[in-house]
Amino acid sequence: MHKVTKEHINKLADYFWEIPKSFREDMRVPAQILASEKILDDIIEDRSLNQLVNVATLPGIRKAALVMPDVHEGYGFPIGGVAATMHPDGAISPGGIGYDINCGVRLLTSQLTKDDIKDQLEALSKELYAQVPSGMGKGGQIRLSSEQIDEVLRTGAEWCVEHGYASQEELKYIESHGKLKWADPSCVSQMAKNRGLDQLGTIGSGNHFVEVASVDEIYDREAANAFGLCENQVVVMVHTGSRGLGHQVATDHIRVMVSAMRNYDIRLPDRELACVPFNSEEGKNYFKAMCSAANFAWCNRQIISWEIRNAWNTVFGENGGQLDLMYDVAHNIAKVEKHVIDGKEEKVIVHRKGATRSFGSGFDELPDEYIPIGQPVIIPGSMGTCSYVLAGTIKSYDLTFGSCCHGAGRRLSRRAAKKQVNAPVLKEQLRERGIYIEAGSFRGIAEEAPIAYKDVNSVVETVNCSGVAKKVAKIKPLVVVKG
DNA sequence: ATGTGC
């Protein structure tokens, strides 16, 4: 199979490119790329665009297989990919969602400014590290019974309201209100449940983190006001997912699908794209399990917020004010949504893997004050660089099935990063720039070094200029806690 | 991403 090169790519518009269906005879739809010229030059080097072409062969795929500017290689599908398949008989593919089901980001807003907390950054970093368990395989303080894990899987963030970890009010500041109703714990294996029993309220490792940051620049005053953001304000960002439970759900169902595929006469260029029809027995079981794992992840991020609030109160006491949930987005998930294709509304299964939903104004799932603006889109940069808050747009429905990028996107493998980076030196350099890192291992710091990632500014510039989301605010890190 | 690798 031939590699994608620049000659195969047509320019459709500024920041928008296409590999036509004619590139390979097994493509069912074209492959489209959201990128600046420079980002396109970078990503053409690796296999991510070949993976994108593979995605374009999925049974029932509609309109186009897409990647966002933070694209990089992933399991089967590229990370930063979007694929919408026909409902109900098109494919559902766990590889199009990712092993970390409902990996996502939330942002909490405080009533403090960066000046208010400048002398307590070290204390805050230590307290957050103490209160929020992190690291591979790490458990937390909460031990669920087998009845309780089923409740968590069924009800997601709602479980937190009943158990004092959330207010009823804040649930509407979570994508899908923190619960997918198709969840069915009977489709989640005992092993997956066991792995989740003590993992609520833990961030894990890799690129997961808790970050305290301050608002550095506002681009859209009206949207910033609606989201509750202002200059120099301190905010807290959380990036994590469904931990070992979600990973086990993916593992279990990929195994089932790989062997079930032959019954549906599905042939694919890469076995990592394993999929079955959404309305098949295996497809329905996976979707119900995926929804359960997504609910677990929302519950997890909510309990982490409770831990952060406890740390906040310990460090700042009565001067700390409150931490309000601005929004919580998923970026590894599949959703059944309606989109207009060829002028007609269709129900599709939108796979977003390392891609954030970016629905525009008028979307009535949002809290009232966000409806005129569009949904918040939270884009973390790499460790020690800036991050962005954007707002979704109507235009994203036309271009990307209402989707946007999810981060800076890796440019170096973990291996390559470890070779190039001296973690203790990097930690010291960040400290000199006023950023306090608290991490369980130097390895994690090396793998997540800024050099291992694309420049988040140009990734965000791409989504902003192409119109799939609009910039609202930039935030700069003060404290980072990771595994 | 992940009780880290067919």
Side-chain angles (χ1 to χ4, degrees):
Chain A
M1 279 195 210
H2 39 302
K3 191 175 172 1
V4 178
T5 66
K6 214 131 184 223
E7 290 73 61
H8 302 116
I9 300 176
N10 303 325
K11 185 168 179 172
L12 293 181
D14 285 346
Y15 302 95
F16 203 42
W17 312 82
E18 181 173 272
I19 304 166
K21 210 162 97 70
S22 56
F23 171 69
R24 232 171 60 191
E25 60 180 19
D26 56 349
M27 290 171 75
R28 294 170 193 256
V29 291
Q32 296 177 340
I33 305 150
L34 212 61
S36 64
E37 300 249 16
K38 187 173 175 309
I39 288 176
L40 186 65
D41 285 338
D42 280 351
I43 63 186
I44 204 112
E45 298 296 320
D46 66 26
R47 285 195 69 260
S48 53
L49 294 185
N50 288 74
Q51 290 190 321
L52 175 64
V53 168
N54 291 343
V55 173
T57 72
L58 274 188
I61 188 165
R62 300 293 288 134
K63 196 172 160 187
L66 288 139
V67 284
M68 305 298 108
D70 53 339
V71 61
H72 55 107
E73 289 174 51
Y75 176 86
F77 289 58
I79 294 161
V82 177
T85 52
M86 247 164 15
H87 184 276
D89 51 357
I92 183 154
S93 175
I97 288 142
Y99 272 89
D100 189 4
I101 294 164
N102 191 2
C103 187
V105 194
R106 63 164 51 192
L107 192 83
L108 307 167
T109 54
S110 83
Q111 291 148 353
L112 301 178
T113 67
K114 68 174 186 210
D115 263 6
D116 292 334
I117 71 165
K118 66 177 190 307
D119 298 325
Q120 283 146 294
L121 294 181
E122 187 164 12
L124 183 58
S125 71
K126 299 259 188 282
E127 189 60 26
L128 284 170
Y129 188 73
Q131 298 265 1
V132 187
S134 63
M136 173 78 104
K138 257 301 201 28
Q141 303 105 305
I142 299 169
R143 298 291 134 106
L144 299 173
S145 66
S146 61
E147 289 76 26
Q148 284 176 316
I149 185 98
D150 283 3
E151 286 168 20
V152 168
L153 296 175
R154 254 195 306 270
T155 63
E158 282 176 9
W159 189 86
C160 296
V161 177
E162 287 151 39
H163 292 79
Y165 300 107
S167 69
Q168 183 69 39
E169 262 298 285
E170 67 187 325
L171 296 188
K172 63 174 190 268
Y173 294 85
I174 305 176
E175 177 173 328
S176 299
H177 298 178
K179 175 189 171 182
L180 297 179
K181 64 181 179 192
W182 303 273
D184 180 352
S186 74
C187 298
V188 175
S189 70
Q190 196 54 53
M191 198 194 298
K193 289 178 187 174
N194 288 344
R195 288 179 69 174
L197 289 178
D198 68 345
Q199 290 189 324
L200 278 183
T202 68
I203 55 177
S205 65
N207 60 3
H208 291 167
F209 61 78
V210 171
E211 179 179 295
V212 180
S214 63
V215 176
D216 189 49
E217 201 174 346
I218 301 279
Y219 305 101
D220 183 325
R221 182 68 54 188
E222 188 196 357
N225 284 343
F227 294 168
L229 297 169
C230 61
E231 280 97 346
N232 297 316
Q233 175 189 20
V234 175
V235 297
V236 185
M237 189 165 40
V238 179
H239 179 202
T240 187
S242 51
R243 309 284 287 100
L245 182 141
H247 191 277
Q248 192 63 46
V249 166
T251 304
D252 293 340
H253 289 263
I254 287 169
R255 185 174 303 143
V256 170
M257 286 193 194
V258 165
S259 66
M261 242 175 22
R262 71 192 83 231
N263 302 330
Y264 302 102
D265 208 25
I266 296 171
R267 274 164 236 286
L268 295 166
D270 180 352
R271 59 181 285 147
E272 293 185 354
L273 296 174
C275 64
V276 292
F278 181 83
N279 60 355
S280 66
E281 226 25 58
E282 297 87 353
K284 284 187 281 194
N285 286 344
Y286 169 68
F287 187 65
K288 291 181 211 165
M290 186 216 75
C291 290
S292 309
N295 288 347
F296 184 86
W298 273 313
C299 195
N300 186 28
R301 290 197 286 276
Q302 185 62 46
I303 289 172
I304 289 168
S305 307
W306 175 80
E307 292 165 344
I308 291 168
R309 285 165 174 157
N310 288 341
W312 206 259
N313 291 338
T314 303
V315 175
F316 301 119
E318 57 192 17
N319 300 322
Q322 60 192 52
L323 291 171
D324 295 316
L325 178 55
M326 183 198 78
Y327 205 59
D328 179 308
V329 300
H331 56 226
N332 278 9
I333 203 160
K335 294 273 191 69
V336 177
E337 295 170 357
K338 286 178 185 157
H339 288 276
V340 177
I341 301 168
D342 298 333
K344 259 183 62 188
E345 191 174 83
E346 278 185 34
K347 239 184 189 182
V348 283
I349 307 142
V350 184
H351 299 67
R352 295 192 181 90
K353 181 191 197 177
T356 307
R357 192 182 71 178
S358 61
F359 284 6
S361 58
F363 178 42
D364 64 10
E365 179 194 285
L366 296 172
D368 291 343
E369 66 275 28
Y370 296 179
I371 291 179
I373 309 293
Q375 74 158 86
V377 172
I378 309 164
I379 309 297
S382 55
M383 181 181 63
T385 65
C386 60
S387 301
Y388 287 86
V389 175
L390 298 89
T393 63
I394 301 287
K395 192 177 179 189
S396 72
Y397 300 134
D398 278 340
L399 289 180
T400 56
F401 293 102
S403 314
C404 178
C405 64
H406 84 307
R410 270 198 172 275
R411 52 177 286 274
L412 294 182
S413 68
R414 294 184 179 281
R415 249 174 74 111
K418 259 184 295 190
K419 263 191 185 165
Q420 290 187 26
V421 178
N422 182 329
V425 169
L426 173 61
K427 186 176 177 182
E428 195 45 46
Q429 286 168 340
L430 290 170
R431 170 68 77 79
E432 279 162 20
R433 286 174 37 215
I435 304 168
Y436 288 77
I437 310 275
E438 205 61 49
S441 71
F442 280 123
R443 174 182 162 172
I445 293 179
E447 290 182 352
E448 297 304 317
I451 196 179
Y453 282 84
K454 294 197 227 319
D455 172 28
V456 70
N457 300 299
S458 47
V459 169
V460 166
E461 219 43 52
T462 297
V463 293
N464 186 62
C465 294
S466 63
V468 298
K470 59 177 181 180
K471 288 200 301 190
V472 175
K474 177 161 85 174
I475 63 179
K476 275 171 71 174
L478 299 166
V479 166
V480 185
V481 171
K482 52 194 290 80

